Amino acid sequence: MRHRIAVIGGGPAGLTFARVMHRHGHPVTVLERDPAPDARPPGGTLDLHENLGQLALGKAGLLAEFQALSRPEGQAMRILDVDGTVLRDWQSRPDDQANPEIDRGQLRDLLLGPLDVQWGRDVTEVVPGTRDGALVRFADGRQETFDLVIGADGAWSRVRPAISSATPHYTGVTLVETSLDDVDTRHPDLARLIGDGSMAVYGVNRALVAQRNSGGHVKVYAQFRAPLDWHTNLDRHMGLNRHAGLDAGLDLADGEAVRSSLLALFDGWAAPALDLLRHGTAFVHRPLYVLPVSHTWAHVPGVTLLGDAAHLMPPLGAGANLAMLEGAELAEAVAAAPGPGDLDEAVRAFEERMWARAGGWAKITTAGLERLVSPDPTEALALFDEVQPS
Ligand SMILES: Cc1cc2nc3c(=O)[nH]c(=O)nc-3n(C[C@H](O)[C@H](O)[C@H](O)COP(=O)(O)OP(=O)(O)OC[C@H]3O[C@@H](n4cnc5c(N)ncnc54)[C@H](O)[C@@H]3O)c2cc1C
C-alpha cells in the first residue's frame, strides 16, 4: 500500500471502507476497541436501502451474498392504536429489494470476511500534523503515525476532537431496548401480531416498536420523551410514582424495576403491546444523542471521519446506510489517489460530498423523530403514510 492508513473502528463504516480497499488490492488494518468480534451483543436488525447500504455492498462485491442473507419480508410494517386496533398493515412483496433487513451480526460477519482487524486496540487520541503524519495514541500506551487516520469510531469518537469541537447532545427521546427469543414457539400470538417485519404503537410522547430479527428473535424499543435523568425521580420527571408504587429513583441495572416502570409508563395500552414489555428478557437504556445537523469542519490533512463519528443522527434507518456508502466511496477515492497530494485532495472532495448527503438525512431524521415521538400520535401515522409505498 502506498499510503499508511489507520481505520479506527470496526462498525459498518470502517469495515466497508476496509472491504472496498481490499477489493481494490489495497488491504488495510482495522483498529477496533472491542476485544473480539463477539465481545458485545451485535444489536438489532438494519434495513439497507437500495441506493445507500446496498450500493456500498455492490462496491464491495458483496451484493449477491447480502441478498442471500437478507429478509425482504422484514420490510412489512403494522401500526396499532394504543387500544390494539390495527391502523395500518403494509405487507412486502418477496421480490421487493428496496430496503430488506439483515441482522447486524450477519452484516458484520459478511463484511469481515478476509479483513485484517486488530481487536482490543482502544484509541484515546489523534494528533494531526506531526512531522511524520497523524499520530494515534492507544490506551495501552502505544502510538503510531499514519498518512491518513479515518475516524469510523461511532457516536463518541475519540478521533473527532482532532478536527472538530462538536459533541453529541441529547434529543429529549430515550429508548429502552428489550428482546424476545423463540417468539414463534414461546409467544405465538405476539409473533403473529409482529408479523414478518415490524409492529409499532404510537401514543402521546411515547411509542413501542417491535422488530423481527432472524431466528425468532425480536427486538422491542420502548421510546419516550423524558429528561436525560428521568430515572432518578420517576415522580417528578414522569409522574409515575403513584401508579407504580416505586421509590423515586430507578436502578437501571435492575431489570425487574425497569420493566415495572415501563409498564406504568405505558399503563392503559392494549395487552399485546404491554406483553412486549412483560416478556422482555433484558433492558438496555439508550438515550438518543445527535450531532448538530449539517456538522462540518475545516479540512485537516491526514484525518477524516465517517459514519456516526461525522454525523450522528436519530436512528430512523439511515445511519448505517450512510456509514457504509461513505466507507465505500472514501475507499474508491483513496484507492485512485497515487501520491500524498492526491490523497489529501481525494479526502477533501469526499468530505464535501459526505456533508451534503448526510446533512440532508440529518434534517429528515431529526424532523422524523419529532413526529414519531410526539404529543400528537396522528403525526406518526401521517409520517408513515407519506413514506410507505401505497
Ligand atoms: C436502536 C437503533 C436502531 C438503528 N437502526 C438502523 C437501521 O435500521 N438502519 C440504519 O441505517 N441505521 C440504523 N441505526 C444507526 C446505526 O446503528 C449507526 O448509524 C451505525 O452503526 C453507524 O456505523 P459506524 O460504523 O459509523 O459506527 P458504529 O456502528 O458505532 O461502530 C463504531 C465502532 O468503533 C469502535 N470504537 C469506538 N470507539 C473506539 C476507540 N476509541 N478505538 C477503537 N475503536 C473504537 C466501536 O467499538 C465500534 O465497533 C440504528 C441505531 C440504533 C441505536
Side-chain angles (χ1 to χ4, degrees), residues 8-14 31-34 40 45-47 104 121-123 152-154 158 175 221 306-308 315 317-321 323:
I8 315 295
L31 304 167
E32 164 60 47
R33 180 177 58 191
D34 283 348
R40 284 182 291 136
T45 178
L46 293 169
D47 63 318
R104 233 175 240 266
R121 300 297 307 273
D122 183 2
V123 169
D153 53 343
R158 302 302 289 262
L175 306 191
Y221 303 98
L306 293 180
D308 280 5
N321 278 278

Side-chain angles (χ1 to χ4, degrees), residues 140-161:
D140 61 9
R142 281 188 275 179
Q143 53 183 49
E144 289 174 50
T145 47
F146 298 91
D147 300 318
L148 178 62
V149 175
I150 297 171
D153 53 343
W156 303 101
S157 171
R158 302 302 289 262
V159 180
R160 189 169 54 230

Side-chain angles (χ1 to χ4, degrees), residues 164-175:
S164 165
S165 58
T167 51
H169 62 268
Y170 178 53
T171 55
V173 175
T174 283
L175 306 191

